[in-house]
Amino acid sequence: MARFAPLAAAVIAVAVFILDTLTTFDIAIAVLYVVVVLLALNFAGKIELVAIGAGCMGLTLLSFLLSHGHQLPADSIGRCLVSLAAIGITTFLAFRVKAAIGILADSEQRYRSIFLATGVGILQMDFTGLKNAFDRYKSNNLQSIDDIERREPGFARSALKMFKLTNANNTALNMFNAPNVGALELLLPSLVSEDMEGKVWKLLASLWAGNQSYEAEAVLKMSDGRQLIFLYNVAVPFDRPALDMVLISIMDVTARREAENELHAARSQLAHVARVATLGELTVSIAHELNQPLAAVVTNGGAGLRWLKREVPDLTKVQSSMESMVADATRASDVIKHLRGLSVKSPPDPDNVDLNEVAEETITLLQREIDINQVSLKVDLAEDLPKVVGDRVQLQQVVLNLLLNAIQAMAHVPESRRELLVRSSREESAVLFSVHDTGPGIPPEIASNLFDPFYTTKPDGMGMGLSICRSILTVHGGGINASSEPGAGTTFEFTIPFNREIG
């Protein structure tokens, strides 16, 4: 049609000119030039369109002069002016339409370029079949996706077959090694394993609720055996409630997740090294903690033997000695167990952890340090403190570092002023744990660097203790901060939410 538009416009223009010039009809024949202008929309640019409109107006004036000469009847002048006005208005509107078409074409070209060439895979899907299924379920008084799952457990798998792929960009095709859109459409359902059906149900719940966006991660097993991690976002345009056009953007984050896992492993290894280094500082205290119960075992064992060697063995005394031996051996065993937990390198093991128990165990481990430094200890642990989800060893490392730092901070303070306060409390959705010392405080100029790696004010320090504490608490969804007033001591506080799930 567009190929013949220039010829049709020229023929019409000539015909209108001849009719307008040679006939004496009492009608504004020149108005038909608007057809020429409208046809020009198919082949002319904006400047050419204006030129054609001006040409039609010129032909109208020329025809008027040729057909009337020096006679200028009022009715003819009126028809001429009407024709000129009609052509001018049509040209103006056609110019605006042409400009809008140009903007729309540029926008569509940009969209197509982005769609095809972007580094993010994009799938254009038609979910009309799913929408129709939803409507049927709603008409049967099903109120939620949970109702559908109870009635038809296999609906998630069948829903995948209702997703129609209408287009895909080059990045998406390359991601899945698909030669074309048709091949990719056949491949997609097979990539979703049974383990992923839980995520499919969550997507269906989002679509059922009418949400315009849903984002999640998925692990897909490719046809060549590789397992890739994808971050995908499902977007429903607000003006497409029929779900006839749904855009799914896909990003391969496998390398990123592998890098994060390696970083996490490196952090765990560094935390292990720091724990071992801290235990090295506590060698004397650890030896004392073990020596006391072991010495008591020897003493009670000797006493028991003496009671047995009497002419009439005092079995009651023997039983008491043996019970004391068992208690002291258990005490030594507990110390070793706690030390082993801190020193052995093992992967994080999330569990429900009672921070009060962690604090009490750590205080027991540091009791000799507290005694020999003549620190006055006050413990204020909240009753019925909610348990938090986390790795017990890592959380004990945090408490151990904070307590040891507090004890060391008061080394040059007069003995009468060495006070250590350990407190736990419950906030709205988190557990708050604080350690306060009466040391010299932290100078303002170094406060902002406290949690930086390798920053230390100790001559023999590594500068990793507080940095590791912050990393551990961040992984647990919490945070740590310090407040200090020079000369009045320092308080370290950390929080951990207690409403997080294990996983």
Side-chain angles (χ1 to χ4, degrees):
M1 179 67 183
R3 289 185 301 169
F4 300 106
L7 178 60
V11 171
I12 292 173
V14 171
V16 171
F17 179 77
I18 292 173
L19 288 173
D20 193 28
T21 304
L22 302 180
T23 62
T24 57
F25 297 126
D26 292 334
I27 58 175
I29 296 175
V31 170
L32 295 176
Y33 281 120
V34 299
V35 178
V36 177
V37 175
L38 294 176
L39 283 172
L41 278 171
N42 293 302
F43 61 86
K46 290 186 291 185
I47 296 176
E48 291 86 353
L49 193 63
V50 172
I52 291 171
C56 290
M57 294 176 72
L59 290 175
T60 300
L61 290 173
L62 178 60
S63 179
F64 177 79
L65 295 175
L66 291 175
S67 59
H68 294 90
H70 298 292
Q71 297 178 357
L72 301 175
D75 56 345
S76 297
I77 293 175
R79 288 193 294 270
C80 181
L81 292 176
V82 168
S83 298
L84 291 174
I87 297 169
I89 293 171
T90 303
T91 302
F92 173 74
L93 294 177
F95 180 86
R96 295 286 299 272
V97 170
K98 194 68 177 181
I101 291 174
I103 293 173
L104 183 62
D106 290 342
S107 177
E108 183 176 352
Q109 182 61 39
R110 284 196 299 271
Y111 168 77
R112 181 162 295 277
S113 297
I114 293 172
F115 181 84
L116 293 175
T118 184
V120 176
I122 301 177
L123 307 178
Q124 184 174 312
M125 309 286 287
D126 183 349
F127 286 6
T128 305
L130 178 66
K131 179 66 166 58
N132 294 336
F134 280 175
D135 291 341
R136 288 195 300 271
Y137 284 122
K138 290 177 180 178
S139 66
N140 291 329
N141 295 322
L142 272 70
Q143 304 297 320
S144 68
I145 285 294
D146 293 336
D147 294 339
I148 299 176
E149 187 174 4
R150 283 190 290 270
R151 177 179 291 189
E152 293 187 34
F155 178 73
R157 177 60 57 179
S158 60
L160 294 174
K161 299 177 182 178
M162 301 178 190
F163 298 168
K164 303 299 181 184
L165 180 64
T166 57
N167 203 357
N169 68 350
N170 296 334
T171 304
L173 295 176
N174 293 334
M175 276 183 181
F176 299 103
N177 293 324
N180 52 54
V181 174
L184 180 56
E185 184 175 18
L186 294 174
L187 176 65
L188 285 177
S190 65
L191 297 177
V192 182
S193 63
E194 292 183 2
D195 297 338
M196 281 214 29
E197 288 188 5
K199 292 183 179 292
V200 176
W201 282 112
K202 290 181 179 180
L203 169 60
L204 295 177
S206 177
L207 294 171
W208 176 281
N211 297 332
Q212 292 179 330
S213 180
Y214 175 80
E215 185 171 284
E217 278 192 9
V219 179
L220 300 182
K221 187 172 182 179
M222 312 305 288
S223 57
D224 58 2
R226 293 176 302 150
Q227 280 196 336
L228 301 181
I229 305 173
F230 291 101
L231 175 67
Y232 65 95
N233 180 278
V234 180
V236 180
F238 70 92
D239 58 344
R240 309 301 279 264
L243 303 184
D244 56 335
M245 188 178 78
V246 177
L247 297 176
I248 302 179
S249 58
I250 305 173
M251 184 180 298
D252 184 354
V253 295
T254 307
R256 181 187 302 177
R257 293 294 175 263
E258 290 176 351
E260 289 175 354
N261 291 338
E262 291 176 0
L263 178 61
H264 182 67
R267 284 176 174 170
S268 297
Q269 186 173 358
L270 182 60
H272 172 251
V273 171
R275 285 199 301 273
V276 173
T278 301
L279 292 178
E281 296 179 30
L282 300 174
T283 302
V284 176
S285 294
I286 293 170
H288 177 77
E289 287 299 318
L290 288 173
N291 186 57
Q292 277 190 329
L294 292 176
V297 167
V298 173
T299 301
N300 285 307
L305 286 174
R306 287 194 297 274
W307 291 115
L308 280 174
K309 289 178 180 179
R310 287 191 171 191
E311 292 183 4
V312 180
D314 191 336
L315 297 182
T316 301
K317 296 289 187 181
V318 172
Q319 180 181 350
S320 176
S321 295
M322 292 183 67
E323 288 174 348
S324 297
M325 289 173 63
V326 171
D328 291 325
T330 301
R331 178 183 165 193
S333 175
D334 287 342
V335 172
I336 293 172
K337 182 175 68 176
H338 297 153
L339 289 174
R340 186 176 184 278
L342 283 168
S343 61
V344 171
K345 182 181 178 182
S346 60
D349 183 19
D351 196 1
N352 290 313
V353 179
D354 186 336
L355 275 180
N356 284 348
E357 289 183 0
V358 169
E360 290 167 352
E361 291 172 3
T362 309
I363 289 170
T364 300
L365 189 62
L366 292 174
Q367 189 60 57
R368 179 171 172 78
E369 293 294 318
I370 294 171
D371 293 340
I372 64 176
N373 284 278
Q374 296 183 319
V375 173
S376 174
L377 173 66
K378 181 179 180 181
V379 180
D380 181 17
L381 303 179
E383 296 182 359
D384 300 323
L385 194 70
K387 292 184 178 181
V388 299
V389 175
D391 182 274
R392 186 182 189 88
V393 172
Q394 290 185 351
L395 294 178
Q396 188 168 6
Q397 181 176 1
V398 173
V399 176
L400 179 65
N401 281 348
L402 295 182
L403 291 178
L404 193 56
N405 283 351
I407 293 170
Q408 294 171 348
M410 295 184 286
H412 301 293
V413 173
E415 295 174 1
S416 60
R417 291 181 47 217
R418 297 176 187 174
E419 298 178 1
L420 177 61
L421 172 61
V422 180
R423 175 177 291 167
S424 68
S425 61
R426 173 176 178 163
E427 292 193 328
E428 182 176 351
S429 60
V431 170
L432 173 66
F433 191 92
S434 65
V435 176
H436 174 75
D437 66 66
T438 54
I442 302 170
E445 61 270 16
I446 69 170
S448 60
N449 303 114
L450 276 178
F451 299 99
D452 292 347
F454 306 110
Y455 183 84
T456 180
T457 57
K458 302 176 185 177
D460 56 349
M462 292 192 303
M464 292 304 299
L466 291 177
S467 175
I468 290 173
C469 287
R470 182 175 64 177
S471 296
I472 291 173
L473 292 169
T474 299
V475 170
H476 285 75
I480 184 171
N481 64 75
S483 58
S484 179
E485 184 178 343
T490 302
T491 300
F492 282 90
E493 292 182 341
F494 69 80
T495 58
I496 300 178
F498 55 75
N499 55 356
R500 298 171 70 235
E501 296 182 355
I502 297 178

